[in-house]
Amino acid sequence: MRIPSTSCLCPFLVCLCFIQRSYGTGHHVPVKVPSKNQTKLPNGETEVHHRPKRGWIWNQFFVLEEHLGPDAQYVGKLHSNSDKGDGTVRYILSGEGAGTIFIIDEVTGDIHATKSLDRERKSHYVLHAQALDRNTEEALEPKSEFIIKVQDINDNAPKFPDGPFVASVPEMSEVGTSVLQVSASDADDPTYGNSARIVYSILLGQPYFSVDPKTGIIRTALANMDREAREHYAVVVQAKDMAGQVGGLSGSTTVNITLSDVNDNPPKFPQKNYQLYVPESAQEGKPVGKIKANDEDLGINADIKYSIINSEGANTFSISTDRDTREGILSLKKVRTTSRTYTLHIEGVNTHTDPRFSYLGSFKDTATLKITVGDVDEAPVFSMDYYILDVYENSPSGTEVGSVTARDPDSRNSPVRYFMDSKEDGVRYFRIDESTGVIRTTQPLDREDMPWHNITVMASEVDNPVLFSHVPVTVQVLDVNDNPPEIATDEDVIVRCLGKVTELVSCEQQVIQTITALDMDDFANGQRFSFALPNQLPVNPNFTLKDNEDSSASIIARRRRFSQLTQELYELPIVVWDGGEPSLSGTSTLTLRVCPCQRHGKVRMCQGKAFLSSAGLSTGALIAILLCIIILLAIVVLFITLRRSKKEPLIISEEDVRENVVTYDDEGGGEEDTEAFDIIALRNPAAAEELKFRRDIRPEARKHCGPAPSCRSPSVEVDEVDVHEFIKQKLVEADMDTSVPPYDSLQTYAYEGQGSPTGTISPLDSTRTHSEQDYNYLEEWGPEFQKLAELYTEVESPEVTT
């Protein structure tokens, strides 16, 4: 079987296909290929087998894209060896585009394309061919696959997908400096012909720039391109396919090229000479004018530093650069200048230079600025920046303190008026003469109250009071001796000497304390004081005073012994003289407190501080002790309250008989009141033991009766013997009872007996007598027994007063 095709597998077939297309025939010449089911005989004839094997011979089909003819485009022809031309073979086409784009004649096998095809959208189609027996529908040929390729034509122009472009190149660049590379793309088949072969060229931008035809690299084509002359360039680049031949398609793009700045221009002042007017009232450090040098460069290439290069101007003025405007700011450096005109030589220099352009010269320029100082109305000027004046204290009102002076700095020298700042406190003490500037006091001043006064004096022109100046004035108040001296102590002087607890011995001619004096006055050479006892008072028998002649004095004891129990406080008046002119004196009275000592020279603290000091207790410990005492007192009060709320018997048991002092608010009614007490319990001890009742009442009859035997209660005399025996028995029990608390109490009964040689039972009710027993051992028992030791070891001494 053979299949004609539009292309062949060998060069001969290709030539044949080309001849067929050249003639434009719609038929393809079949190629005869010997079939395998035939045998060639020796005589030259062929023998055909009864069951021949059929087959397809396929070639690729081609179809041109973008076909615009009115008829369907012929593609090729399918043919089977089984086709005898009698119409019994039917050809079937299937696959991509079968029946829609590609159709086949079932009888002849001719294939046509019914639509215009675009290779850029789809470059080939895969189809399947099949030959069937029309009568039996049996496959005469096996189903086979073939390809129809869309043949490319130049129907796509080059494009620049990334355009338009933006680029920059430094000005003054050399020829051939690379700027940018552009690239265009073509959708046509690059493997077929020259449809996608692109060549670049410049349509606009010459002679400044050029482009490489193959690579698309844009380069500078002109030397010394100056940004200051022209900064922006629009370059149009064209891309043409077909290798630039006639008939090729083309596309273009725009490249915007900017020349970047380099420092190729020095700064230049628009003119060489300038003039400036500056008022004489200009303030130091404030701008007085501006000057600017022009630089055609940009950015840091145009930065300029200004300076004054002549010493005359540099001493009076200074110049700085404004970074935003690149102007030179001229400021006054020195105020109150005497010259009326100044000449300044100002230089402007680029701060960033490019060594490539050093051949252009130095990148700096100079200009001359002439400054004229103008006269303006200025405020008065004081002769000094500040004034320090002085005046003595206690000076009468109107005393002159000093004066200030101000003048008008202007040429007309207007008169000046002086006044003080009314907002200051110094206006109360001083006033100033408006014309002369003399300052006087308005009242006497006290140095001890305020030694310094700060005031502000103002001056203004009489003709122009709006302009004024001010100056600080400090007034020092000088001291005069107007305060008497005083003793420099506010506490009592403690008299301490070695001795017993209750007295101080060996104090004679001993220095009790050294005293000094205070004086509110101020002495230039230091304070000098002298001390003495008052002459108008009698000689003090207890103390004397010694002037140490060094502004101090010593108090010396004249007595040997001082007893705290006899007299604790002594007053000692002392007269003090200062060393002023004239000298002043003052009398101060010192209080001397006698403070007893312990043995072995240990000094006690006065005013009840000995116990706490010896115990060495801290503040926290003392607070804890006080809290414990308060709690114990609260418990005792509660216990007593509960005991009183109960009804207790009047007499308790013998084991609990003790002496107590019971106090009542009712003092009783005398003899009549004693009858209210029932003394049957004393007459009948057995009944008292049974009742366990007790009444501790001190008889009021002793307050009214003396020791005479006649002062008795009639009710007690009835059974006197029983009472005496009962009392003796209780005394014995009390003496023998070791459980009794160690304290004495006043045990009262209704009757204590008549003619008793011992008097009262309790020592608390007895008169004070001196005992021959030595109680000095109580001192060794500690601070708890100090008071008891003082009571038993008191030694009477003659009472002495100052």
Side-chain angles (χ1 to χ4, degrees):
M1 182 172 65
R2 51 199 181 131
I3 298 175
S5 173
T6 58
S7 62
C8 308
L9 295 178
C10 61
F12 174 77
L13 295 178
V14 172
C15 294
L16 181 62
C17 293
F18 179 75
I19 294 173
Q20 291 178 348
R21 291 193 178 185
S22 300
Y23 282 100
T25 60
H27 303 279
H28 292 263
V29 178
V31 179
K32 195 78 172 182
V33 179
S35 180
K36 294 182 179 180
N37 58 353
Q38 296 180 0
T39 303
K40 195 170 183 179
L41 299 177
N43 56 3
E45 294 180 0
T46 58
E47 181 182 1
V48 178
H49 300 283
H50 297 286
R51 298 186 62 183
K53 183 178 181 181
R54 303 175 182 87
W56 296 94
I57 297 179
W58 292 108
N59 297 314
Q60 284 188 341
F61 293 106
F62 291 89
V63 60
L64 290 176
E65 65 171 338
E66 306 295 344
H67 177 69
L68 300 178
D71 299 330
Q73 184 180 5
Y74 180 75
V75 178
K77 183 180 182 64
L78 297 180
H79 186 72
S80 175
N81 291 336
S82 301
D83 188 0
K84 304 300 183 180
D86 53 1
T88 58
V89 178
R90 184 165 68 93
Y91 298 96
I92 297 176
L93 187 64
S94 63
E96 295 179 341
T100 56
I101 299 176
F102 303 101
I103 58 176
I104 189 172
D105 190 327
E106 295 183 354
V107 178
T108 63
D110 294 331
I111 302 174
H112 291 80
T114 61
K115 295 182 179 180
S116 176
L117 302 179
D118 188 0
R119 189 201 67 83
E120 285 70 36
R121 297 184 61 183
K122 191 173 180 62
S123 60
H124 65 278
Y125 296 85
V126 179
L127 294 95
H128 299 85
Q130 192 174 9
L132 302 178
D133 189 314
R134 185 180 298 275
N135 298 323
T136 62
E137 294 296 327
E138 292 182 0
L140 301 178
E141 299 290 348
K143 189 174 183 180
S144 182
E145 180 181 284
F146 67 98
I147 297 175
I148 300 178
K149 286 189 175 183
V150 181
Q151 191 172 5
D152 181 55
I153 64 173
N154 190 17
D155 59 344
N156 290 279
K159 295 181 180 180
F160 292 91
D162 299 328
F165 301 89
V166 177
S168 64
V169 62
E171 63 174 333
M172 310 300 288
S173 296
E174 297 179 356
V175 176
T177 302
S178 177
V179 179
L180 178 70
Q181 183 179 11
V182 295
S183 178
S185 61
D186 195 319
D188 293 327
D189 188 2
T191 63
Y192 182 77
N194 296 326
S195 298
R197 186 179 177 184
I198 299 174
V199 174
Y200 299 95
S201 62
I202 287 183
L203 300 181
L204 180 64
Q206 295 176 340
Y208 307 104
F209 300 94
S210 63
V211 64
D212 189 293
K214 296 181 179 180
T215 62
I217 297 177
I218 301 174
R219 303 179 186 273
T220 58
L222 187 65
N224 298 327
M225 286 190 294
D226 191 2
R227 184 200 64 81
E228 288 73 29
R230 182 178 178 181
E231 184 176 2
H232 301 287
Y233 296 85
V235 178
V236 178
V237 180
Q238 183 189 61
K240 189 175 183 180
D241 60 10
M242 297 297 293
Q245 299 177 3
V246 179
L249 302 180
S250 64
S252 63
T253 186
T254 301
V255 181
N256 296 311
I257 301 176
T258 302
L259 297 182
S260 59
D261 184 67
V262 296
N263 191 8
D264 58 341
N265 294 279
K268 297 186 67 175
F269 288 99
Q271 58 192 59
K272 289 298 182 179
N273 296 288
Y274 295 87
Q275 289 186 353
L276 180 64
Y277 173 83
V278 177
E280 62 179 354
S281 60
Q283 299 180 6
E284 181 179 351
K286 298 296 183 179
V288 295
K290 297 179 181 179
I291 190 172
K292 184 179 181 180
N294 296 327
D295 194 324
E296 296 180 354
D297 296 322
L298 300 176
I300 62 174
N301 297 320
D303 288 345
I304 302 174
K305 180 181 179 182
Y306 298 92
S307 59
I308 302 174
I309 59 178
N310 64 321
S311 59
E312 177 189 0
N315 293 333
T316 309
F317 297 91
S318 62
I319 191 170
S320 60
T321 304
D322 189 325
R323 293 186 177 181
D324 296 331
T325 61
R326 294 187 174 90
E327 294 177 328
I329 308 300
L330 197 67
S331 302
L332 185 62
K333 186 176 181 181
K334 182 180 179 181
V335 297
R336 304 300 175 194
T337 59
T338 58
S339 179
R340 310 305 296 180
T341 59
Y342 295 90
T343 300
L344 278 66
H345 298 294
I346 300 177
E347 182 182 64
V349 181
N350 279 145
T351 58
H352 298 82
T353 59
D354 194 335
R356 296 179 301 171
F357 307 103
S358 59
Y359 65 91
L360 298 177
S362 60
F363 283 73
K364 63 182 179 180
D365 195 15
T366 59
T368 301
L369 176 63
K370 186 176 182 180
I371 298 178
T372 302
V373 180
D375 188 15
V376 296
D377 192 7
E378 297 180 88
V381 178
F382 284 94
S383 61
M384 301 178 63
D385 294 335
Y386 61 91
Y387 292 85
I388 299 178
L389 309 177
D390 55 61
V391 62
Y392 281 98
E393 65 175 332
N394 302 328
S395 298
S397 177
T399 301
E400 181 178 344
V401 178
S403 62
V404 296
T405 304
R407 65 175 183 84
D408 183 10
D410 301 326
S411 56
R412 58 183 180 177
N413 195 14
S414 301
V416 178
R417 183 179 68 90
Y418 302 93
F419 58 96
M420 298 176 60
D421 190 356
S422 59
K423 297 180 181 179
E424 293 185 348
D425 188 56
V427 179
R428 297 187 305 163
Y429 305 99
F430 306 95
R431 58 184 175 85
I432 188 170
D433 189 282
E434 293 186 356
S435 302
T436 63
V438 176
I439 301 175
R440 301 179 183 273
T441 60
T442 59
Q443 57 181 302
L445 304 178
D446 187 1
R447 188 201 67 86
E448 289 73 31
D449 182 26
M450 186 179 295
W452 295 88
H453 294 269
N454 296 317
I455 59 177
T456 301
V457 176
M458 300 182 178
S460 64
E461 297 180 11
V462 176
D463 299 335
N464 188 7
V466 178
L467 295 176
F468 61 88
S469 58
H470 55 83
V471 65
V473 178
T474 301
V475 179
Q476 179 183 9
V477 182
L478 302 179
D479 182 63
V480 297
N481 192 18
D482 60 343
N483 291 280
E486 298 177 353
I487 300 299
T489 179
D490 296 332
E491 299 180 355
D492 297 345
V493 177
I494 306 301
V495 181
R496 300 184 179 95
C497 299
L498 298 178
K500 295 184 179 181
V501 176
T502 58
E503 66 177 88
L504 300 175
V505 298
S506 302
C507 286
E508 188 174 1
Q509 299 303 319
Q510 290 190 9
V511 177
I512 302 302
Q513 186 168 338
T514 300
I515 59 175
T516 58
L518 293 177
D519 197 326
M520 297 179 63
D521 294 320
D522 184 18
F523 295 92
N525 299 322
Q527 296 181 345
R528 301 180 300 275
F529 301 103
S530 58
F531 303 84
L533 296 178
N535 295 329
Q536 65 273 18
L537 296 179
V539 178
N540 194 317
N542 302 310
F543 304 97
T544 186
L545 189 69
K546 178 185 177 182
D547 193 343
N548 297 328
E549 298 182 356
D550 59 352
S551 297
S552 66
S554 299
I555 302 175
I556 301 175
R558 303 184 66 177
R559 291 178 49 196
R560 181 177 179 82
R561 296 182 179 179
F562 292 88
S563 176
Q564 184 186 29
L565 297 179
T566 302
Q567 184 174 351
E568 183 180 0
L569 302 177
Y570 295 88
E571 293 183 351
L572 181 63
I574 300 175
V575 182
V576 185
W577 288 270
D578 59 20
E581 293 292 339
S583 179
L584 297 181
S585 64
T587 302
S588 301
T589 301
L590 297 182
T591 301
L592 291 85
R593 181 181 298 274
V594 176
C595 183
C597 303
Q598 296 180 355
R599 287 197 172 191
H600 310 296
K602 296 181 179 179
V603 181
R604 296 180 56 198
M605 296 181 63
C606 296
Q607 301 178 352
K609 299 181 181 178
F611 172 73
L612 298 179
S613 177
S614 61
L617 299 178
S618 62
T619 304
L622 294 178
I623 295 175
I625 292 174
L626 291 176
L627 290 176
C628 293
I629 293 174
I630 293 173
I631 294 173
L632 291 176
L633 290 177
I635 295 174
V636 171
V637 171
L638 180 62
F639 179 78
I640 294 174
T641 304
L642 294 176
R643 287 290 301 269
R644 287 184 177 179
S645 63
K646 298 180 181 180
K647 294 183 180 180
E648 298 179 356
L650 296 178
I651 299 178
I652 60 177
S653 62
E654 293 181 358
E655 290 78 12
D656 197 25
V657 174
R658 50 185 165 177
E659 302 178 61
N660 293 288
V661 178
V662 182
T663 304
Y664 295 90
D665 294 335
D666 188 5
E667 296 184 357
E671 293 294 332
E672 296 178 359
D673 190 48
T674 58
E675 297 178 359
F677 294 92
D678 188 5
I679 62 173
I680 297 177
L682 297 176
R683 297 177 180 174
N684 189 2
E689 182 68 19
E690 293 176 0
L691 293 175
K692 305 288 184 180
F693 191 77
R694 176 178 178 178
R695 296 182 66 184
D696 296 336
I697 303 175
R698 184 173 182 173
E700 299 292 338
R702 293 183 59 85
K703 298 181 181 179
H704 306 285
C705 299
S710 59
C711 187
R712 298 182 181 179
S713 177
S715 61
V716 179
E717 296 178 356
V718 180
D719 201 357
E720 184 177 355
V721 178
D722 295 339
V723 174
H724 291 174
E725 293 297 331
F726 176 72
I727 291 174
K728 291 180 181 180
Q729 180 182 354
K730 294 303 180 183
L731 286 176
V732 172
E733 292 178 356
D735 292 338
M736 298 302 294
D737 190 0
T738 58
S739 63
V740 175
Y743 57 83
D744 291 339
S745 61
L746 182 61
Q747 183 70 41
T748 61
Y749 296 94
Y751 178 70
E752 294 185 359
Q754 181 179 4
S756 175
T758 60
T760 180
I761 298 174
S762 175
L764 297 177
D765 197 38
S766 61
T767 59
R768 181 182 300 174
T769 58
H770 297 286
S771 175
E772 299 298 334
Q773 187 177 355
D774 185 8
Y775 293 97
N776 290 333
Y777 63 90
L778 295 176
E779 301 176 6
E780 301 176 357
W781 288 7
E784 295 84 355
F785 296 92
Q786 290 295 334
K787 189 64 178 178
L788 185 61
E790 292 176 4
L791 294 176
Y792 280 96
T793 60
E794 178 183 0
V795 179
E796 297 183 358
S797 61
E799 183 176 346
V800 181
T801 60
T802 58

